Amino acid sequence: PWNRFSIHVRDDHGDPMLAYEGNWRDIFQNWEALLQSFPGYFVNVVAKFVNATTIEGYNPYRISRDGIDWEVPDPDDPWSHIGYWGDHQIVYLMRLLEMWDRYEPGARATWLDREVFVCADVPYLLADHDSMVRNPRDTITYDVGHAAAIAAREDRIGADGRLLVDADGSLLRVGLLEKLLVPALAKLTNFVPDGGIWLNTQRPEWNDANNALAGPGLSMVTLHHLRRYLALLDSIVETAPGDSVAVTASVGEWLDDIRRILATHAAGPVDDVERRTIVDLLGRSGESHRGRVRRGVGSEKVVLPLADVRDLCETSLAHLDSSIAAGRRADGLHHSYNRVSFPTDTTACVDHLGPMLEGQVAALSSGVLGAEETLAVVDALYASGMYRRDLDTFLLYPPTALPSFLERNVIPAGAAEEVERLAGLADIVVTGADGRMHFRPEIVNAAALERLLDRVGIDGETRTAWLETYEEVFDHRSFTGRSGSMYGYEGIGSIYWHMVAKLLLAVQEAYWDAVERGDDGTVIAALASAYRKIRAGFGHRATPATFGAIPTDCYSHTPAHAGAQQPGMTGQVKEEILARFGELGLRVTEGRLSLAPGLLPAGEVLGPDERDGSAELTVCAVPVRVETGPRDSVTVERADGTNETLDGLELDAERSSEVFARAGTIARIRWTLGADTMTAWHHTASVG
């Protein structure tokens, strides 16, 4: 009708922030209330993140100025590929949610039922579960017809055309709870007990050096992050104002399926048959959900009791904790990635790959380990093959020596006796001068062997025996990608500075967790020592000759045979910014800004008469100075020329909110560390 209006608010990038519909009188009479309902900073950032998630629980390739983007196959480009990347939607969303609550306590729960969030509409069709089991490397079909429909909708309505629409053509809107649930349900759908999260969407996780794991790979990395994410989700739901939330009907059914499956099978070690049963049930629950939403069935809303969400979190956590316990290695490290295989119709087997730094970081970040367990993992890292003593830091993986093709391509003596009895011997095998048997060099992979077997007419048990022998010789299932074949980038013998920075931040988080829990001072000091020891290995502490480049510049990696390579704004910068604020001791808890020194070298703190030094910084554009004095205090210097001095090292919520809002009312803050604080600080540093 002519007197009905809708207002759609978007940010600078065209991403939807808020939608409002109503009578024009309602809008103009309640304009002030409408303005107040616009999202704040954190919900806007979270919305940009979750709005890119599909209703099936996956993220597209990226978000750009043009909106949501996904990879498109290109027959003319041999590097063209499609797929969903794995872990970012869990780990980064989780950290955003944690930070949001520190700045705006309780705000997350108020958005759980506000239907202002949307879903990406990506023209990918995921295969059914049985097809994934048969060939986990080929699981996505690009739906050309659906892509054309999205493009037509985009031409008609703009960037919103890439979002999912309901049966009547309007955008499907859901609450925050559904947006937080869906990626977790997608990960649980691909949970393999005692193995990890199945990487069956044709893409690896953040580390594309492990791209060959996409398919049979299982990620303990994502499992560790999912564990912390589900614990966080449980705490958010616990604080919700009501006892139920409306969600899309199919999502509610999906949640009930997974909750029932995990509750029916007790958490704990499983054999191959029990593992296959759980994998099939979970996989088919995701398949059923995808089928319902593709057909447009189940887009109506149902009421989801929050008690069911909490039950899902509790049940899932028990299963994940059991897998984490099973993933602890004898050397004190944790498994990072595993492989899954389905040798029979009733079994699912898990094989382990070697240790990786990424897995240790994920374990430290999972929320499972206590302070002493954290220290044990750090000690195990320094004792492992990942420690590079000359640079006092860590490689992504222990270095391996690659055998030559002639060294690898040798059929073992025991297998050679069996091979001699198989048909097709002359077409498949050659005998070397030393009498050993080798596969012909043109058989570059198992697919080439299968084509050869087709050509010579070999099938049945003989065909299976040839394929098994070939895999025994080359072990292609263990191939991880360039991390196992190249010596540059994130390859063999490489330091990847972003991951070392993630390690640094994980140990720092463990330190502050121990401080907040009130752990024993000796343990806290040991964590501080572990942090400083890892920090000492970073490039900016090295000389140019040692680092192989200007140490204060950002570099991607350092290979074994050269200095630091690939300058640029790498991911390390993000972790380093977070770590530096933690070193400075600036903490935000329950909406209050405080100073908690402990990791900052005491020499960086200014004396009361000093004017220069590194312990001057800004927080939300407000200059901050850290200095010593007779007692702990914080002085707020206001823009109007007045000063306010508070006892202790914490700003109250009102003054903190002025800082966070960049209101301009506070011109400067001076934190003063008293003698008792400095004495305790120096003691912690000396014990550490």
Side-chain angles (χ1 to χ4, degrees):
W2 69 269
N3 65 341
R4 299 288 293 179
F5 285 80
S6 63
I7 298 177
H8 296 269
V9 182
R10 295 184 175 87
D11 65 11
D12 318 329
H13 303 292
D15 295 327
M17 292 170 55
L18 180 134
Y20 181 89
E21 297 181 7
N23 182 283
W24 69 269
R25 289 190 180 87
D26 294 335
I27 292 177
F28 286 103
Q29 289 175 1
N30 298 286
W31 188 251
E32 184 177 354
L34 176 63
L35 288 175
Q36 291 174 350
S37 70
F38 282 12
Y41 173 77
F42 278 101
V43 73
N44 182 28
V45 175
V46 169
K48 290 166 72 74
F49 206 94
V50 300
N51 285 348
T53 305
T54 70
I55 198 169
E56 297 172 350
Y58 298 97
N59 273 16
Y61 179 42
R62 61 188 174 188
I63 302 175
S64 68
R65 278 194 166 277
D66 297 324
I68 295 164
D69 194 15
W70 50 80
E71 294 173 304
V72 178
D74 182 356
D76 297 325
D77 181 0
W79 294 99
S80 172
H81 197 48
I82 63 173
Y84 287 121
W85 297 88
D87 65 332
H88 286 56
Q89 72 213 78
I90 293 294
V91 62
Y92 291 133
L93 175 58
M94 173 181 68
R95 291 183 180 276
L96 281 172
L97 292 168
E98 290 171 343
M99 186 176 291
W100 185 5
D101 193 57
R102 289 198 292 271
Y103 281 81
E104 299 177 16
R108 300 173 305 193
T110 65
W111 289 88
L112 295 181
D113 60 351
R114 297 179 66 176
E115 295 184 347
V116 296
F117 301 91
V118 291
C119 303
D121 190 11
V122 179
Y124 289 174
L125 292 176
L126 267 71
D128 60 78
H129 175 71
D130 289 341
S131 296
M132 287 185 176
V133 168
R134 285 193 299 271
N135 185 2
R137 295 188 186 276
D138 184 11
T139 60
I140 296 179
T141 302
Y142 189 79
D143 190 336
V144 176
H146 191 182
I150 293 172
R153 197 165 64 220
E154 188 178 10
D155 287 342
R156 191 169 63 253
I157 65 174
D160 282 4
R162 294 194 167 204
L163 301 175
L164 189 65
V165 296
D166 212 335
D168 62 359
S170 60
L171 295 182
L172 178 68
R173 294 187 178 88
V174 300
L176 181 60
L177 178 62
E178 179 166 336
K179 297 303 297 183
L180 300 184
L181 276 172
V182 163
L185 294 174
K187 292 293 181 269
L188 290 171
T189 293
N190 295 307
F191 168 58
V192 178
D194 295 348
I197 305 302
W198 191 7
L199 303 177
N200 55 15
T201 56
Q202 300 186 178
R203 284 297 192 183
E205 296 180 326
W206 74 271
N207 186 355
D208 60 353
N210 287 328
N211 55 11
L213 286 177
L218 301 175
S219 174
M220 286 300 295
V221 172
T222 293
L223 188 145
H224 281 104
H225 292 315
L226 180 62
R227 196 268 174 208
R228 177 167 161 181
Y229 181 90
L230 287 170
L232 174 65
L233 181 59
D234 185 43
S235 69
I236 294 172
V237 173
E238 184 181 15
T239 63
D243 56 9
S244 64
V245 168
V247 299
T248 305
S250 185
V251 171
E253 188 173 347
W254 191 16
L255 182 146
D256 285 340
D257 286 345
I258 292 179
R259 188 166 64 99
R260 173 180 45 78
I261 293 164
L262 294 180
T264 303
H265 296 82
V270 296
D271 60 21
D272 293 345
V273 174
E274 177 75 357
R275 181 183 296 113
R276 177 63 180 269
T277 300
I278 296 172
V279 167
D280 285 347
L281 289 170
L282 291 173
R284 292 191 176 109
S285 74
E287 176 187 332
S288 296
H289 170 67
R290 295 193 298 271
R292 288 191 297 266
V293 296
R294 285 176 198 158
R295 297 191 305 271
V297 178
S299 60
E300 68 275 7
K301 298 298 174 68
V302 296
V303 174
L304 176 65
L306 295 181
D308 289 357
V309 179
R310 298 203 66 195
D311 183 61
L312 171 78
C313 293
E314 180 181 348
T315 305
S316 302
L317 286 170
H319 281 270
L320 299 186
D321 284 352
S322 174
S323 292
I324 290 172
R328 289 174 174 159
R329 296 162 43 100
D331 59 5
L333 300 174
H334 291 251
H335 286 300
S336 303
Y337 290 96
N338 300 311
R339 298 171 308 177
V340 65
S341 59
F342 303 95
T344 72
D345 291 340
T346 59
T347 57
C349 301
V350 170
D351 300 309
H352 302 301
L353 295 174
M356 302 180 186
L357 181 59
E358 184 184 1
Q360 316 322 307
V361 173
L364 292 173
S365 303
S366 66
V368 172
L369 306 184
E372 293 183 351
E373 292 173 302
T374 295
L375 290 168
V377 171
V378 174
D379 288 343
L381 271 171
Y382 277 101
S384 75
M386 285 177 277
Y387 178 52
R388 184 168 165 178
R389 189 173 301 276
D390 61 330
L391 295 182
D392 195 22
T393 192
F394 300 98
L395 308 172
L396 266 176
Y397 342 88
T400 57
L402 293 180
S404 69
F405 178 75
L406 290 178
E407 290 174 313
R408 172 169 287 190
N409 185 15
V410 176
I411 298 176
E417 296 175 2
E418 297 295 326
V419 161
E420 287 183 317
R421 291 194 285 269
L422 297 177
L425 186 64
D427 296 292
I428 300 170
V429 170
V430 296
T431 302
D434 57 2
R436 295 189 298 178
M437 301 176 68
H438 312 270
F439 282 97
R440 288 188 174 277
E442 62 267 25
I443 305 176
V444 296
N445 54 34
L449 175 59
E450 292 204 64
R451 289 193 295 271
L452 177 59
L453 295 173
D454 289 338
R455 190 166 68 248
V456 298
I458 297 175
D459 55 15
E461 293 183 1
T462 302
R463 182 188 189 91
T464 301
W466 275 120
L467 291 170
E468 288 177 350
T469 301
Y470 186 83
E471 178 59 28
E472 180 183 354
V473 169
F474 290 104
D475 191 24
H476 282 160
R477 286 175 300 187
S478 298
F479 181 57
T480 56
R482 73 169 184 259
S483 64
S485 60
M486 293 175 61
Y487 291 91
Y489 299 97
E490 297 104 64
I492 299 169
S494 286
I495 298 164
Y496 187 56
W497 291 105
H498 186 187
M499 187 51 65
V500 182
K502 285 177 180 282
L503 172 66
L504 182 76
L505 186 60
V507 174
Q508 185 188 97
E509 286 181 338
Y511 168 84
W512 287 117
D513 287 344
V515 170
E516 291 176 2
R517 286 194 305 264
D519 286 359
D520 180 78
T522 302
V523 174
I524 292 174
L527 286 168
S529 176
Y531 177 85
R532 295 186 183 109
K533 187 176 181 181
I534 296 168
R535 165 60 85 193
F538 274 78
H540 70 275
R541 301 289 181 91
T543 65
T546 303
F547 190 58
I550 298 173
T552 52
D553 284 354
C554 309
Y555 280 82
S556 167
H557 65 282
T558 299
H561 59 277
Q565 304 290 301
Q566 267 191 297
M569 290 295 287
T570 68
Q572 176 190 350
V573 176
K574 171 174 58 66
E575 264 74 23
E576 285 273 34
I577 290 171
L578 295 173
R580 183 57 176 165
F581 274 106
E583 288 177 5
L584 292 166
L586 286 166
R587 310 278 291 159
V588 178
T589 308
E590 296 183 350
R592 294 178 173 86
L593 182 63
S594 63
L595 186 72
L599 294 177
L600 183 69
E604 292 192 34
V605 176
L606 304 179
D609 299 324
E610 295 179 86
R611 288 295 173 262
D612 298 306
S614 59
E616 288 192 338
L617 59 146
T618 61
V619 177
C620 298
V622 176
V624 172
R625 177 183 173 88
V626 182
E627 60 187 26
T628 58
R631 61 186 177 85
D632 289 344
S633 65
V634 55
T635 299
V636 176
E637 300 177 5
R638 293 200 164 273
D640 62 8
T642 61
N643 291 349
E644 303 166 337
T645 299
L646 309 173
D647 290 333
L649 298 175
E650 182 180 83
L651 281 183
D652 60 16
E654 181 179 353
R655 293 176 177 85
S656 296
S657 65
E658 291 181 68
V659 175
F660 302 150
R662 299 172 182 258
T665 53
I666 296 178
R668 184 183 179 89
I669 299 173
R670 285 189 292 112
W671 259 286
T672 302
L673 305 179
D676 291 343
T677 296
M678 292 297 293
T679 299
W681 184 5
H682 282 289
H683 174 69
T684 299
S686 64
V687 172

